[in-house]
Amino acid sequence: MTSSDIGNYDTPTLEDVIVDMYRIAGLTPPPSPMPLNVLTELAEKTGRPLVKVVHELHGMVTMRVAPTPTVNEYYRSVPLPTGLTVDGLKAALDATQEMMAVLNHEIKLFTGKHLHELIQGNNFSGLVSNLLTVAMGNHTPFSPYHDQKHPDLMNTADSVGLEIKASNKVAKGGEGHNGTDGWHMIACYELNKDSGQIQFSHVEVAELNGAKKGAASDWKYVGSQVSDEGTQRTETYTTTPTGTWKLRHGSVYLNERLWPAWKNRGKQAWRGGDTPPHSPWYRPHSAQKQQASSNLFE
């Protein structure tokens, strides 16, 4: 649903909005007066849950505009954990944006403030991460596994785990409490402070070596000290430069229209080893030049 989908009502009636719902779905609206089961019929004809139809009706009545879906052309082919596809990921990302839009809309109606104005930034990102975990469970073979232990999601058919973090910083590296082994996803989003809605801008996926693998680990331990106020944050692990670049190379979604905050992307390319062909920083001519140089010493 977009702003152009919604009729311009002077004095809207419930029937006016329901008629719009049918037209948006490409269906012929029922005649007036409408029967009580009109929304049930709409749900059946569109193959959508009745609760979703009711939510959209409420959103239209209160003029909630749905978030912009992620852009097909910005999805890229990169190595993904077994069972995860680009189509499934797109469905999960779009569903997460919609859930956040609904939450923000309802809270704004009751409090007069957007959701991000009421909770701390890290809690907001945590909520995005939790909703994305739920959406992944609804649209991919990965089901929520544990909200406190590793991993967040598990494809039980193939015994493949996936850890998820959300961040409002593009090209974010990995961060966790245990520096775990396996597949990790970092979902970066832009927050529109005027509308309160989010839009995913960058999604990184990579298989990382855990902290217990010694020199081969993609994680480094970050200690924790007591602050002057007497507080102490939780001890964490962050990815090493190699681990961070594994994630960046695995940029399965990269919306370049939302990347102006990270300037000179090309100048920040990885210089610590070979750039894999699936990386957005891969340059075939440079790779050929490097290979030719190495052949001189063989």
Side-chain angles (χ1 to χ4, degrees):
M1 182 174 63
T2 65
S3 56
S4 60
D5 293 326
I6 303 172
N8 294 319
Y9 310 114
D10 293 326
T11 54
T13 66
L14 187 57
E15 286 199 2
D16 289 333
V17 185
I18 293 175
V19 165
D20 263 3
M21 291 184 74
Y22 271 81
R23 288 175 175 164
I24 291 169
L27 302 171
T28 301
S32 181
M34 293 182 179
L36 291 176
N37 64 340
V38 63
L39 293 180
T40 302
E41 290 183 355
L42 178 62
E44 292 174 350
K45 290 179 179 178
T46 57
R48 302 153 85 185
L50 178 60
V51 66
K52 185 173 178 63
V53 172
V54 173
H55 279 165
E56 291 192 2
L57 172 62
H58 178 256
M60 291 176 70
V61 170
T62 55
M63 303 306 282
R64 173 178 64 83
V65 179
T68 303
T70 53
V71 184
N72 288 333
E73 65 189 87
Y74 293 140
Y75 283 93
R76 306 177 61 259
S77 178
V78 304
L80 296 173
T82 302
L84 182 60
T85 65
V86 166
D87 288 342
L89 177 61
K90 175 175 170 52
L93 292 172
D94 289 344
T96 303
Q97 291 184 173
E98 185 174 1
M99 285 190 286
M100 288 296 294
V102 171
L103 282 174
N104 179 68
H105 174 73
E106 298 297 316
I107 288 175
K108 182 70 183 294
L109 285 177
F110 277 92
T111 69
K113 292 182 178 294
H114 291 303
L115 177 59
H116 72 269
E117 298 176 289
L118 299 174
I119 62 177
Q120 294 176 327
N122 60 331
N123 291 333
F124 187 89
S125 291
L127 177 59
V128 175
S129 178
N130 290 342
L131 292 181
L132 179 55
T133 299
V134 171
M136 291 282 286
N138 291 336
H139 296 281
T140 76
F142 287 81
S143 301
Y145 182 71
H146 201 287
D147 59 355
Q148 295 294 330
K149 298 179 181 179
H150 173 79
D152 296 319
L153 292 156
M154 176 71 76
N155 178 352
T156 54
D158 296 289
S159 298
V160 178
L162 178 62
E163 193 78 8
I164 288 182
K165 289 288 186 295
S167 174
N168 62 355
K169 296 179 180 178
V170 72
K172 174 73 173 177
E175 185 175 343
H177 296 307
N178 300 304
T180 50
D181 200 60
W183 287 95
H184 291 256
M185 176 188 293
I186 312 295
C188 308
Y189 63 88
E190 297 286 323
L191 170 64
N192 185 322
K193 293 186 177 181
D194 292 328
S195 68
Q197 293 195 14
I198 67 164
Q199 188 172 2
F200 287 108
S201 57
H202 184 208
V203 180
E204 309 163 291
V205 182
E207 189 172 18
L208 302 178
N209 295 323
K212 295 181 179 180
K213 291 191 174 179
S217 172
D218 291 317
W219 299 91
K220 60 182 178 181
Y221 176 72
V222 179
S224 176
Q225 297 180 347
V226 179
S227 69
D228 293 338
E229 292 77 21
T231 60
Q232 187 172 11
R233 64 172 175 78
T234 306
E235 295 181 324
T236 61
Y237 287 82
T238 60
T239 47
T240 63
T242 301
T244 298
W245 273 98
K246 282 185 179 181
L247 288 164
R248 290 180 181 174
H249 290 325
S251 295
V252 63
Y253 184 72
L254 183 62
N255 189 333
E256 302 200 9
R257 292 183 302 184
L258 299 178
W259 268 59
W262 200 41
K263 302 198 182 287
N264 299 321
R265 192 182 81 197
K267 293 182 178 180
Q268 300 188 37
W270 172 236
R271 296 179 176 85
D274 294 336
T275 300
H278 63 263
S279 171
W281 284 267
Y282 179 73
R283 298 294 180 267
H285 296 300
S286 298
Q288 293 172 4
K289 185 176 180 181
Q290 290 175 359
Q291 182 62 42
S293 299
S294 63
N295 290 341
L296 295 175
F297 299 94
E298 291 181 353

